[in-house]
Amino acid sequence: MFARVLTGSISGFEPLLIEVEVDISGGLPAFTVVGLPDTAVNEARERIRAALKNAGLDLPSRRITVNLAPADVRKEGAGLDVPIAVGILAALGLVPFANIDGKLFVGEMSLDGRLRHTHGILPLALLAKEQNLSGLVVPSDNIAEASAVPSLMVHGFDTLENLVSALKGQAPFPIAPFQEAAADSPALFQVVDLAEVKGQAFAKRALEVAAAGGHNLLFVGPAGTGKTMLARALPSILPPLSFEESLEITKIFSIKGILPAGHGIIKHRPFRDPHHTISDVALIGGGRNPAPGEVSLAHNGVLFLDELPEFKKAVLEVLREPLSEGRVSIARAAHTTSFPARFQLIAAMNPCPCGNFTEPIRRCTCSPSQVRAYQQRISGPLLDRIDLQIPVPRLPSEELIGSVESEPSAKVRERVLAAREFQKGRHPRSRIVLNAHLPPKVLKKDCELDEPAQKILLEAVRRFSLSARAYDKLIRVARTIADLDGKERIATNHVVEAIQYRTLDPFGSP
């Protein structure tokens, strides 16, 4: 007999609808899977045999052929266990075709028939909705993730035995409710409040500007001045995620396989802080079967690179494309995969190997050539893409032990939200919100300068030999400062403040 079951697989970043065709015929006993299956899919044969046996459903001694269509696309992952098993049972006449028609089945099985948490469920749930399917069958551990998609019937099961009972009509199909409001998740990192950071008013103001406009930022200063705490405080002043942004982030985490079992959609902006020993593939994404890297896991959130010069030069240089385009394209011989990577880069570094180059009291032990070589590990083109470059000096002792309360993140966040609403008001029908991402044509319209402001900006470009990109970023930062000030027109004081964030030498060199 013959049966057809719908399922899905992930090809790079996009879900792919797959038809599992099962034919059971006479001949020598065999169990063959064709249609470019990878190793995990081929091994499904042994998992399915054991799972069916432990559910009291032995495979007959007949020839079983499973085709995964389309046959010219490689199928990956263990999520095809359930649809293949259901297809075999339907071909044997053990479950009615009417109960599998129009549903998408996905899930990995253990040898005892339990359905295990499976990666990549959210994009497949979105695929099921896009295809107007009547339901999605998933393991129980994936219910919260799948039911975050509105207007989709999600059916979760613990075991193959329970699934078969429901397909036979011996038990009802459980339906999981839509969980947009309830599918919250705890923060994936420790949040720092700005009130915990003593002093550093200039750096805090720069952080506020960066948050309001989505600008990249570099902190330079000796060890122990609060650079890392400032970076970790950035998520606390960023706006909450929209539902669409949450779905995008959760989709990436699900495909990567790092969304915990039982989790719903991610409601907190990601904060990724890879160690400086990371490889370029781990940072940017890729591999034999391309997977998202750290820049994609930081999508709609923050990528923090501490000790920036300690990263390998090749690793830092691959950041240029995502910083400019907001996406990463990974080309292979057979196909090209594109992952979203619209993140906010926050970096921190010492001014020299020993960290004391800018210190007025502590003596720097580095030679001028060592200092120069250390600072030149950050290439000019990469540094040019960082909008704000801020020195973070060591605090005076009286400020360090003082009891003056700093402004909490909640108050700063209110100003950031107001500035972003101001930006959004200029483009009510567009997804463009942040000044850092405005296209050139829109930038010219939104960032008109009066004559005094224009003169000051041109003088700064001449005096500091700024590139065209740096000039463009100065205007964007000035636009954000004006938004924080609630002003539609960029004034001279906005431009002057923007120039401070770009031309104050954070390295302390003459």
PDB file of all heavy atoms in Angstrom, residues 452-474:
ATOM      1  N   PRO A 452      24.824  77.248  10.199  1.00  0.00           N
ATOM      2  CA  PRO A 452      25.877  77.158  11.219  1.00  0.00           C
ATOM      3  C   PRO A 452      26.271  75.708  11.538  1.00  0.00           C
ATOM      4  O   PRO A 452      27.454  75.400  11.691  1.00  0.00           O
ATOM      5  CB  PRO A 452      25.246  77.843  12.435  1.00  0.00           C
ATOM      6  CG  PRO A 452      24.182  78.718  11.878  1.00  0.00           C
ATOM      7  CD  PRO A 452      23.664  78.018  10.679  1.00  0.00           C
ATOM      8  N   ALA A 453      25.259  74.824  11.632  1.00  0.00           N
ATOM      9  CA  ALA A 453      25.550  73.409  11.920  1.00  0.00           C
ATOM     10  C   ALA A 453      26.338  72.777  10.793  1.00  0.00           C
ATOM     11  O   ALA A 453      27.270  71.983  11.017  1.00  0.00           O
ATOM     12  CB  ALA A 453      24.244  72.645  12.160  1.00  0.00           C
ATOM     13  N   GLN A 454      26.004  73.148   9.550  1.00  0.00           N
ATOM     14  CA  GLN A 454      26.706  72.608   8.391  1.00  0.00           C
ATOM     15  C   GLN A 454      28.170  73.047   8.387  1.00  0.00           C
ATOM     16  O   GLN A 454      29.074  72.259   8.101  1.00  0.00           O
ATOM     17  CB  GLN A 454      26.014  73.070   7.113  1.00  0.00           C
ATOM     18  CG  GLN A 454      26.593  72.489   5.833  1.00  0.00           C
ATOM     19  CD  GLN A 454      26.249  71.023   5.647  1.00  0.00           C
ATOM     20  OE1 GLN A 454      25.153  70.602   5.951  1.00  0.00           O
ATOM     21  NE2 GLN A 454      27.195  70.248   5.167  1.00  0.00           N
ATOM     22  N   LYS A 455      28.419  74.294   8.751  1.00  0.00           N
ATOM     23  CA  LYS A 455      29.791  74.797   8.779  1.00  0.00           C
ATOM     24  C   LYS A 455      30.624  74.082   9.830  1.00  0.00           C
ATOM     25  O   LYS A 455      31.782  73.720   9.589  1.00  0.00           O
ATOM     26  CB  LYS A 455      29.783  76.311   9.055  1.00  0.00           C
ATOM     27  CG  LYS A 455      29.369  77.162   7.865  1.00  0.00           C
ATOM     28  CD  LYS A 455      29.459  78.639   8.210  1.00  0.00           C
ATOM     29  CE  LYS A 455      29.102  79.491   6.999  1.00  0.00           C
ATOM     30  NZ  LYS A 455      29.148  80.949   7.319  1.00  0.00           N
ATOM     31  N   ILE A 456      30.033  73.874  11.014  1.00  0.00           N
ATOM     32  CA  ILE A 456      30.754  73.182  12.085  1.00  0.00           C
ATOM     33  C   ILE A 456      31.081  71.750  11.671  1.00  0.00           C
ATOM     34  O   ILE A 456      32.191  71.252  11.902  1.00  0.00           O
ATOM     35  CB  ILE A 456      29.919  73.196  13.382  1.00  0.00           C
ATOM     36  CG1 ILE A 456      29.838  74.623  13.943  1.00  0.00           C
ATOM     37  CG2 ILE A 456      30.508  72.249  14.423  1.00  0.00           C
ATOM     38  CD1 ILE A 456      28.914  74.761  15.133  1.00  0.00           C
ATOM     39  N   LEU A 457      30.134  71.098  11.038  1.00  0.00           N
ATOM     40  CA  LEU A 457      30.347  69.713  10.613  1.00  0.00           C
ATOM     41  C   LEU A 457      31.444  69.623   9.554  1.00  0.00           C
ATOM     42  O   LEU A 457      32.325  68.749   9.621  1.00  0.00           O
ATOM     43  CB  LEU A 457      29.030  69.144  10.071  1.00  0.00           C
ATOM     44  CG  LEU A 457      29.003  67.647   9.752  1.00  0.00           C
ATOM     45  CD1 LEU A 457      29.355  66.824  10.987  1.00  0.00           C
ATOM     46  CD2 LEU A 457      27.635  67.239   9.225  1.00  0.00           C
ATOM     47  N   LEU A 458      31.431  70.513   8.589  1.00  0.00           N
ATOM     48  CA  LEU A 458      32.458  70.497   7.540  1.00  0.00           C
ATOM     49  C   LEU A 458      33.836  70.810   8.111  1.00  0.00           C
ATOM     50  O   LEU A 458      34.844  70.238   7.678  1.00  0.00           O
ATOM     51  CB  LEU A 458      32.093  71.495   6.446  1.00  0.00           C
ATOM     52  CG  LEU A 458      30.872  71.137   5.588  1.00  0.00           C
ATOM     53  CD1 LEU A 458      30.551  72.254   4.611  1.00  0.00           C
ATOM     54  CD2 LEU A 458      31.109  69.825   4.845  1.00  0.00           C
ATOM     55  N   GLU A 459      33.880  71.701   9.082  1.00  0.00           N
ATOM     56  CA  GLU A 459      35.156  72.020   9.727  1.00  0.00           C
ATOM     57  C   GLU A 459      35.704  70.799  10.465  1.00  0.00           C
ATOM     58  O   GLU A 459      36.916  70.532  10.437  1.00  0.00           O
ATOM     59  CB  GLU A 459      34.968  73.189  10.701  1.00  0.00           C
ATOM     60  CG  GLU A 459      36.220  73.584  11.473  1.00  0.00           C
ATOM     61  CD  GLU A 459      37.368  74.024  10.572  1.00  0.00           C
ATOM     62  OE1 GLU A 459      37.102  74.538   9.453  1.00  0.00           O
ATOM     63  OE2 GLU A 459      38.537  73.833  10.962  1.00  0.00           O
ATOM     64  N   ALA A 460      34.820  70.024  11.128  1.00  0.00           N
ATOM     65  CA  ALA A 460      35.245  68.808  11.828  1.00  0.00           C
ATOM     66  C   ALA A 460      35.776  67.776  10.837  1.00  0.00           C
ATOM     67  O   ALA A 460      36.774  67.091  11.102  1.00  0.00           O
ATOM     68  CB  ALA A 460      34.073  68.222  12.617  1.00  0.00           C
ATOM     69  N   VAL A 461      35.121  67.654   9.694  1.00  0.00           N
ATOM     70  CA  VAL A 461      35.575  66.712   8.667  1.00  0.00           C
ATOM     71  C   VAL A 461      36.964  67.079   8.178  1.00  0.00           C
ATOM     72  O   VAL A 461      37.839  66.221   8.014  1.00  0.00           O
ATOM     73  CB  VAL A 461      34.573  66.672   7.490  1.00  0.00           C
ATOM     74  CG1 VAL A 461      35.137  65.870   6.324  1.00  0.00           C
ATOM     75  CG2 VAL A 461      33.241  66.072   7.937  1.00  0.00           C
ATOM     76  N   ARG A 462      37.212  68.378   7.956  1.00  0.00           N
ATOM     77  CA  ARG A 462      38.525  68.818   7.482  1.00  0.00           C
ATOM     78  C   ARG A 462      39.601  68.641   8.552  1.00  0.00           C
ATOM     79  O   ARG A 462      40.685  68.136   8.289  1.00  0.00           O
ATOM     80  CB  ARG A 462      38.457  70.290   7.041  1.00  0.00           C
ATOM     81  CG  ARG A 462      37.825  70.513   5.684  1.00  0.00           C
ATOM     82  CD  ARG A 462      38.083  71.935   5.189  1.00  0.00           C
ATOM     83  NE  ARG A 462      37.391  72.917   6.020  1.00  0.00           N
ATOM     84  CZ  ARG A 462      36.174  73.399   5.744  1.00  0.00           C
ATOM     85  NH1 ARG A 462      35.541  72.969   4.669  1.00  0.00           N
ATOM     86  NH2 ARG A 462      35.620  74.295   6.525  1.00  0.00           N
ATOM     87  N   ARG A 463      39.286  69.072   9.777  1.00  0.00           N
ATOM     88  CA  ARG A 463      40.286  69.053  10.845  1.00  0.00           C
ATOM     89  C   ARG A 463      40.695  67.637  11.210  1.00  0.00           C
ATOM     90  O   ARG A 463      41.875  67.373  11.478  1.00  0.00           O
ATOM     91  CB  ARG A 463      39.743  69.778  12.068  1.00  0.00           C
ATOM     92  CG  ARG A 463      40.716  69.787  13.254  1.00  0.00           C
ATOM     93  CD  ARG A 463      40.185  70.602  14.409  1.00  0.00           C
ATOM     94  NE  ARG A 463      40.046  72.017  14.059  1.00  0.00           N
ATOM     95  CZ  ARG A 463      39.644  72.937  14.927  1.00  0.00           C
ATOM     96  NH1 ARG A 463      39.346  72.597  16.175  1.00  0.00           N
ATOM     97  NH2 ARG A 463      39.537  74.195  14.549  1.00  0.00           N
ATOM     98  N   PHE A 464      39.729  66.700  11.247  1.00  0.00           N
ATOM     99  CA  PHE A 464      40.035  65.350  11.704  1.00  0.00           C
ATOM    100  C   PHE A 464      40.150  64.347  10.559  1.00  0.00           C
ATOM    101  O   PHE A 464      40.228  63.141  10.799  1.00  0.00           O
ATOM    102  CB  PHE A 464      38.953  64.880  12.690  1.00  0.00           C
ATOM    103  CG  PHE A 464      38.848  65.750  13.914  1.00  0.00           C
ATOM    104  CD1 PHE A 464      37.799  66.654  14.065  1.00  0.00           C
ATOM    105  CD2 PHE A 464      39.806  65.690  14.917  1.00  0.00           C
ATOM    106  CE1 PHE A 464      37.698  67.470  15.184  1.00  0.00           C
ATOM    107  CE2 PHE A 464      39.714  66.479  16.037  1.00  0.00           C
ATOM    108  CZ  PHE A 464      38.656  67.383  16.178  1.00  0.00           C
ATOM    109  N   SER A 465      40.132  64.837   9.315  1.00  0.00           N
ATOM    110  CA  SER A 465      40.296  63.972   8.125  1.00  0.00           C
ATOM    111  C   SER A 465      39.315  62.807   8.151  1.00  0.00           C
ATOM    112  O   SER A 465      39.692  61.638   7.978  1.00  0.00           O
ATOM    113  CB  SER A 465      41.736  63.455   8.035  1.00  0.00           C
ATOM    114  OG  SER A 465      42.644  64.525   7.960  1.00  0.00           O
ATOM    115  N   LEU A 466      38.052  63.107   8.381  1.00  0.00           N
ATOM    116  CA  LEU A 466      37.031  62.069   8.462  1.00  0.00           C
ATOM    117  C   LEU A 466      36.635  61.590   7.076  1.00  0.00           C
ATOM    118  O   LEU A 466      36.611  62.362   6.113  1.00  0.00           O
ATOM    119  CB  LEU A 466      35.795  62.595   9.205  1.00  0.00           C
ATOM    120  CG  LEU A 466      36.017  63.053  10.652  1.00  0.00           C
ATOM    121  CD1 LEU A 466      34.717  63.575  11.244  1.00  0.00           C
ATOM    122  CD2 LEU A 466      36.553  61.908  11.501  1.00  0.00           C
ATOM    123  N   SER A 467      36.300  60.314   6.982  1.00  0.00           N
ATOM    124  CA  SER A 467      35.876  59.732   5.707  1.00  0.00           C
ATOM    125  C   SER A 467      34.425  60.100   5.424  1.00  0.00           C
ATOM    126  O   SER A 467      33.712  60.649   6.271  1.00  0.00           O
ATOM    127  CB  SER A 467      36.015  58.209   5.760  1.00  0.00           C
ATOM    128  OG  SER A 467      35.082  57.661   6.699  1.00  0.00           O
ATOM    129  N   ALA A 468      33.982  59.767   4.218  1.00  0.00           N
ATOM    130  CA  ALA A 468      32.590  60.017   3.846  1.00  0.00           C
ATOM    131  C   ALA A 468      31.649  59.224   4.736  1.00  0.00           C
ATOM    132  O   ALA A 468      30.565  59.699   5.111  1.00  0.00           O
ATOM    133  CB  ALA A 468      32.374  59.648   2.379  1.00  0.00           C
ATOM    134  N   ARG A 469      32.069  57.985   5.103  1.00  0.00           N
ATOM    135  CA  ARG A 469      31.228  57.178   5.990  1.00  0.00           C
ATOM    136  C   ARG A 469      31.140  57.808   7.372  1.00  0.00           C
ATOM    137  O   ARG A 469      30.069  57.848   7.991  1.00  0.00           O
ATOM    138  CB  ARG A 469      31.765  55.744   6.090  1.00  0.00           C
ATOM    139  CG  ARG A 469      30.901  54.852   6.983  1.00  0.00           C
ATOM    140  CD  ARG A 469      31.475  53.458   7.180  1.00  0.00           C
ATOM    141  NE  ARG A 469      31.317  52.650   5.989  1.00  0.00           N
ATOM    142  CZ  ARG A 469      32.315  52.209   5.250  1.00  0.00           C
ATOM    143  NH1 ARG A 469      33.571  52.522   5.584  1.00  0.00           N
ATOM    144  NH2 ARG A 469      32.100  51.466   4.186  1.00  0.00           N
ATOM    145  N   ALA A 470      32.263  58.320   7.877  1.00  0.00           N
ATOM    146  CA  ALA A 470      32.256  58.963   9.190  1.00  0.00           C
ATOM    147  C   ALA A 470      31.383  60.217   9.177  1.00  0.00           C
ATOM    148  O   ALA A 470      30.664  60.499  10.141  1.00  0.00           O
ATOM    149  CB  ALA A 470      33.683  59.310   9.611  1.00  0.00           C
ATOM    150  N   TYR A 471      31.445  60.971   8.079  1.00  0.00           N
ATOM    151  CA  TYR A 471      30.589  62.158   7.920  1.00  0.00           C
ATOM    152  C   TYR A 471      29.116  61.755   7.976  1.00  0.00           C
ATOM    153  O   TYR A 471      28.296  62.375   8.668  1.00  0.00           O
ATOM    154  CB  TYR A 471      30.917  62.835   6.593  1.00  0.00           C
ATOM    155  CG  TYR A 471      29.968  63.947   6.196  1.00  0.00           C
ATOM    156  CD1 TYR A 471      30.066  65.214   6.761  1.00  0.00           C
ATOM    157  CD2 TYR A 471      28.967  63.713   5.245  1.00  0.00           C
ATOM    158  CE1 TYR A 471      29.190  66.240   6.393  1.00  0.00           C
ATOM    159  CE2 TYR A 471      28.093  64.723   4.873  1.00  0.00           C
ATOM    160  CZ  TYR A 471      28.207  65.973   5.452  1.00  0.00           C
ATOM    161  OH  TYR A 471      27.335  66.977   5.084  1.00  0.00           O
ATOM    162  N   ASP A 472      28.787  60.680   7.265  1.00  0.00           N
ATOM    163  CA  ASP A 472      27.414  60.173   7.252  1.00  0.00           C
ATOM    164  C   ASP A 472      26.963  59.759   8.651  1.00  0.00           C
ATOM    165  O   ASP A 472      25.845  60.066   9.088  1.00  0.00           O
ATOM    166  CB  ASP A 472      27.340  58.976   6.290  1.00  0.00           C
ATOM    167  CG  ASP A 472      25.984  58.323   6.247  1.00  0.00           C
ATOM    168  OD1 ASP A 472      25.133  58.772   5.476  1.00  0.00           O
ATOM    169  OD2 ASP A 472      25.765  57.336   7.006  1.00  0.00           O
ATOM    170  N   LYS A 473      27.853  59.100   9.377  1.00  0.00           N
ATOM    171  CA  LYS A 473      27.489  58.636  10.724  1.00  0.00           C
ATOM    172  C   LYS A 473      27.358  59.795  11.701  1.00  0.00           C
ATOM    173  O   LYS A 473      26.545  59.748  12.628  1.00  0.00           O
ATOM    174  CB  LYS A 473      28.509  57.606  11.210  1.00  0.00           C
ATOM    175  CG  LYS A 473      28.404  56.273  10.465  1.00  0.00           C
ATOM    176  CD  LYS A 473      29.232  55.191  11.099  1.00  0.00           C
ATOM    177  CE  LYS A 473      29.023  53.856  10.371  1.00  0.00           C
ATOM    178  NZ  LYS A 473      27.648  53.368  10.479  1.00  0.00           N
ATOM    179  N   LEU A 474      28.165  60.847  11.526  1.00  0.00           N
ATOM    180  CA  LEU A 474      28.019  62.025  12.371  1.00  0.00           C
ATOM    181  C   LEU A 474      26.631  62.642  12.218  1.00  0.00           C
ATOM    182  O   LEU A 474      25.992  63.036  13.205  1.00  0.00           O
ATOM    183  CB  LEU A 474      29.085  63.061  12.010  1.00  0.00           C
ATOM    184  CG  LEU A 474      30.463  62.910  12.665  1.00  0.00           C
ATOM    185  CD1 LEU A 474      31.416  63.959  12.104  1.00  0.00           C
ATOM    186  CD2 LEU A 474      30.371  63.037  14.174  1.00  0.00           C
TER     187      LEU A 474
END
